[in-house]
Amino acid sequence: MDADIGNDDVSMRPTRRRAHPKRAILALLALLLLVNLAASLYQLPLNRVIERRFCREYYSAHDPSVIDENGTIDEKLCKIDAVQQRLAWLMGIMDTLWIVGDFVMTIPLGFVAEKYGRRIGLWLNIVPRLFMLTWTVVVGYFEESLPLKALVAGPALSVLGGDCVFNSIIYSLAAGLTDDNVVRATYFSWTNAVSYVVTFVGPGLAGATMTLSLLLPLWIGICLLLLAIPIIALIEDPTQVPPAAEDEQRRPLISSPTLKAQTSKTSLLRPVTERICTLHSIIRSHPRNFALLLVSFFLTSLASSDTKLLAQYISKRYHWIFAWAGYLLSAKAIVNFTLLTVVIPGILRSRSVSDSSQSRSLSDRDNVRYARICLAVSVLGALAIASSVTIWLLIPSLLLYSLGAALPVFTLGLLKSPSVSPNSDEPSVLAGAETHVFSIVMMVKTLGSLVGAPLMATLWVRGIATGALGVPYLVSAALYLTAIVVFAGIRVR
């Protein structure tokens, strides 16, 4: 999704766009909270719905005596290799399908949102999420009528927008609320903090409600997504607001991507092709630092794909039920939340005060330094998780790994750095590139997830077969280490 949705006309309406930044960021954070919490409530019950069905099939053929008169099986008996390997494959297929649809349709949906407004793009994004949760409820409820493979149809509607589309809108809007590096980094910290609020509330809430009813977390998620619909209506869409007279006088002679999209009457193929060419030219117009930053985004997104395995990893390796795994993941996320809401904003505020007389490039050097620290901590955390032979060793390992969660705050903060900006002094070039940067970044991160989903699923299945259950996290550590090497090449002025 183009990051310029509702943010293209940077030079057209600066006063109006930033008149109420606090109100704007609160609306974005509320939407982010509802959508991400619904997604978080989906994962644990989905794992259990699949595992329960595979477990029943296995014991029906091999040991029917463990199945009670109600057709239920003790969940701890389902942690055998034959069941967990099938669970890993199906989860990997579903994750990959969701990401593929999202990635392929990012640019076409960017044009649609520019032409009809960003709220349309956000509303479209709610549709596949609602369908996926509702379809899981249907398949889970009608176990005797619908085959388990029918779940694969759940992610099919990601062609209407997924995480790449959603995040590119959120981050571009957050970035467009201010021109100050420190404030922008603080906004990024808040958006990441909301995501981690979800990660500690979501698994715990899912685990607690699963004990009451397996499908209850999915019903809660559906209600949250329905609540997100009116929240989207509260978000001001600059592309749909008639300009004031003074804004009309400021309007540049050149056409922005949004104006071109809104006035275009051609088929969808032509503007999509033009957009691909535009994104390619923007990448080429940036210095080497931008290319290195994109490579680091790809590598870290690929490495962080291991987080989707954590519930399965904890459940299988330590023979925990999924509800218990949810509680542990919630405890891990408390560290992330504290880091992103208290520690990082405090560091940024102190830096802003102490370096108020210094050049802006000092802030860029701080971003690079802190990003490298986060990458190093991620390497150590992934290695610790891979080598944790007991649950008591895993707990501090998860806490160590969570300390690297602040990485996006610093890497996203570099995107508007003078050292990463295009090699041009023309305002039109700079403005045009700025509006597309977050779209490019989210596409690269989605590409990393697209590669990471099947890779981690394959490594996990292989690890189950060989007994080397920590293999996915060893690979993640190697990828984070590679990202450190790439990041070492970034030079700021």
Side-chain angles (χ1 to χ4, degrees):
M1 171 72 66
D2 277 358
D4 55 332
I5 299 172
N7 194 33
D8 308 65
D9 309 327
V10 175
S11 61
M12 298 180 194
R13 291 181 289 240
T15 302
R16 183 185 311 176
R17 187 188 63 177
R18 293 174 184 147
H20 304 287
K22 290 185 178 179
R23 184 187 304 171
I25 193 66
L26 286 176
L28 291 176
L29 294 178
L31 179 62
L32 187 66
L33 175 65
L34 292 171
V35 172
N36 284 357
L37 183 55
S40 181
L41 290 172
Y42 169 71
Q43 290 297 324
L44 280 180
L46 175 65
N47 273 276
R48 181 55 187 150
V49 165
I50 297 173
E51 182 191 65
R52 183 176 66 175
R53 187 81 71 90
F54 282 147
C55 189
R56 187 177 300 159
E57 291 177 1
Y58 176 84
Y59 283 108
S60 293
H62 295 85
D63 189 4
S65 63
V66 303
I67 306 175
D68 65 19
E69 57 184 12
N70 295 321
T72 60
I73 304 171
D74 185 352
E75 185 176 340
K76 292 183 179 180
L77 295 176
C78 299
K79 309 307 175 183
I80 57 176
D81 292 352
V83 172
Q84 295 300 310
Q85 285 178 320
R86 296 179 70 187
L87 169 63
W89 276 124
L90 186 53
M91 289 294 296
I93 290 171
M94 294 180 66
D95 287 341
T96 302
L97 288 176
W98 173 262
I99 298 169
V100 167
D102 181 25
F103 181 76
V104 170
M105 294 301 293
T106 294
I107 294 178
L109 286 173
F111 178 78
V112 170
E114 287 174 356
K115 186 175 180 64
Y116 301 105
R118 69 183 180 186
R119 283 195 295 249
I120 298 298
L122 289 171
W123 277 321
L124 283 175
N125 196 268
I126 297 297
V127 174
R129 299 174 186 274
L130 271 174
F131 175 74
M132 191 162 59
L133 269 69
T134 304
W135 183 241
T136 305
V137 170
V138 171
V139 175
Y141 187 79
F142 296 102
E143 288 187 337
E144 303 299 327
S145 305
L146 293 172
L148 191 58
K149 292 181 180 179
L151 280 174
V152 175
L157 287 187
S158 64
V159 293
L160 295 178
D163 297 329
C164 178
V165 174
F166 182 76
N167 289 332
S168 64
I169 299 176
I170 296 297
Y171 278 106
S172 63
L173 291 176
L177 292 176
T178 179
D179 289 326
D180 184 88
N181 273 358
V182 173
V183 175
R184 183 183 300 116
T186 301
Y187 286 167
F188 289 150
S189 180
W190 288 352
T191 56
N192 280 279
V194 168
S195 298
Y196 282 108
V197 166
V198 168
T199 59
F200 81 74
V201 172
L205 180 59
T209 51
M210 281 172 62
T211 60
L212 301 175
S213 171
L214 178 57
L215 302 180
L216 181 56
L218 300 175
W219 282 114
I220 296 175
I222 291 170
C223 293
L224 292 174
L225 290 175
L226 292 175
L227 183 60
I229 295 174
I231 295 294
I232 294 173
L234 297 177
I235 298 176
E236 181 183 348
D237 188 350
T239 64
Q240 304 298 306
V241 177
E246 61 273 17
D247 292 327
E248 190 69 39
Q249 293 175 357
R250 295 191 193 104
R251 187 176 294 277
L253 294 177
I254 59 171
S255 298
S256 71
T258 297
L259 293 177
K260 290 180 179 179
Q262 290 175 340
T263 57
S264 174
K265 298 185 182 300
T266 60
S267 65
L268 186 61
L269 181 60
R270 181 178 177 183
V272 168
T273 304
E274 291 177 350
R275 187 57 46 78
I276 294 174
C277 295
T278 299
L279 295 179
H280 180 259
S281 64
I282 287 174
I283 294 175
R284 293 187 61 182
S285 71
H286 280 69
R288 178 173 175 268
N289 281 344
F290 184 64
L292 292 174
L293 200 55
L294 290 181
V295 174
S296 72
F297 277 123
F298 173 81
L299 290 171
T300 54
S301 180
L302 179 57
S304 64
S305 297
D306 63 358
T307 56
K308 288 194 173 182
L309 289 177
L310 274 175
Q312 297 177 55
Y313 181 79
I314 295 170
S315 179
K316 165 62 180 173
R317 184 164 190 175
Y318 307 106
H319 300 281
W320 277 28
I321 64 175
F322 279 111
W324 296 352
Y327 299 144
L328 181 56
L329 293 178
S330 291
K332 165 187 173 291
I334 292 176
V335 177
N336 299 30
F337 176 70
T338 304
L339 182 69
L340 292 168
T341 56
V342 179
V343 179
I344 298 303
I347 292 174
L348 293 172
R349 283 193 295 268
S350 64
R351 179 63 64 182
S352 177
V353 172
S354 61
D355 296 337
S356 58
S357 61
Q358 300 297 322
S359 66
R360 197 176 196 176
S361 62
L362 181 60
S363 177
D364 296 335
R365 289 196 294 270
D366 289 338
N367 279 332
V368 171
R369 183 185 305 115
Y370 293 141
R372 289 172 179 167
I373 293 173
C374 289
L375 287 170
V377 170
S378 296
V379 171
L380 297 176
L383 289 174
I385 291 174
S387 58
S388 298
V389 294
T390 68
I391 194 67
W392 300 112
L393 290 175
L394 178 69
I395 292 173
S397 300
L398 288 174
L399 298 181
L400 176 62
Y401 194 38
S402 67
L403 293 178
L407 178 64
V409 173
F410 306 113
T411 52
L412 291 173
L414 284 170
L415 290 177
K416 290 192 176 183
S417 162
S419 301
V420 180
S421 299
N423 295 318
S424 174
D425 295 327
E426 299 179 17
S428 61
V429 174
L430 292 173
E434 178 182 337
T435 59
H436 290 82
V437 161
F438 280 92
S439 176
I440 295 171
V441 169
M442 291 304 164
M443 289 180 67
V444 169
K445 289 169 70 70
T446 302
L447 181 62
S449 299
L450 177 59
V451 177
L455 173 64
M456 292 301 170
T458 302
L459 292 173
W460 177 233
V461 171
R462 183 63 180 169
I464 293 174
T466 60
L469 298 179
V471 167
Y473 296 94
L474 292 176
V475 173
S476 290
L479 290 169
Y480 280 122
L481 188 60
T482 306
I484 292 177
V485 175
V486 171
F487 220 86
I490 295 179
R491 299 289 182 267
V492 293
R493 296 193 290 271

